[in-house]
Amino acid sequence: MPGFALTTAAALTCAHQGQVTLNPGQRQVLAGGAPVLTTADPNAVTPCALSSSQTPCVKVDFTVAASSRVFVHRRPLVVQPTGPGSGVCQSAAQVPQGPPVVSTVQQRVVAK
């Protein structure tokens, strides 16, 4: 499914308003002046509103949002299709918590 290349300039939260911090593993490939993200790049969610429970969101798994055609340093590019956020927010035990909410994404580079 085609979508916009996800970059560090994107604004993402978990479904419970926890801020997603994106950490690119590379800084050479840019879209709109910001590094693009791959499925291997680390990210963190802080603070998830479910922090008082046993399953707060701690990261986003972007493997479901991997490009099938575009790779950066042999890793799939993360794409943001139109509609709900790509990826799945997960707890520390990898329990799915729903898709992230994307409020800002660059709209120049499209990948499939």
Side-chain angles (χ1 to χ4, degrees):
M1 174 184 317
F4 298 113
L6 198 62
T7 69
T8 56
L12 286 85
T13 61
C14 73
H16 318 104
Q17 302 304 312
Q19 183 67 41
V20 179
T21 304
L22 304 168
N23 298 305
Q26 58 81 37
R27 300 221 179 250
Q28 296 85 17
V29 181
L30 308 175
V36 298
L37 298 170
T38 69
T39 56
D41 293 337
N43 63 76
V45 178
T46 55
C48 176
L50 294 179
S51 59
S52 61
S53 73
Q54 297 296 324
T55 59
C57 301
V58 295
K59 69 175 187 171
V60 179
D61 179 8
F62 285 115
T63 56
V64 296
S67 172
S68 60
R69 295 185 179 183
V70 181
F71 295 82
V72 177
H73 299 291
R74 294 188 217 149
R75 295 187 175 111
L77 178 74
V78 175
V79 296
Q80 172 58 49
T82 56
S86 59
V88 177
C89 295
Q90 294 181 331
S91 69
Q94 298 185 346
V95 175
Q97 304 290 336
V101 177
V102 180
S103 56
T104 305
V105 65
Q106 65 80 31
Q107 297 183 355
R108 288 188 153 199
V109 179
V110 178
K112 184 172 185 180

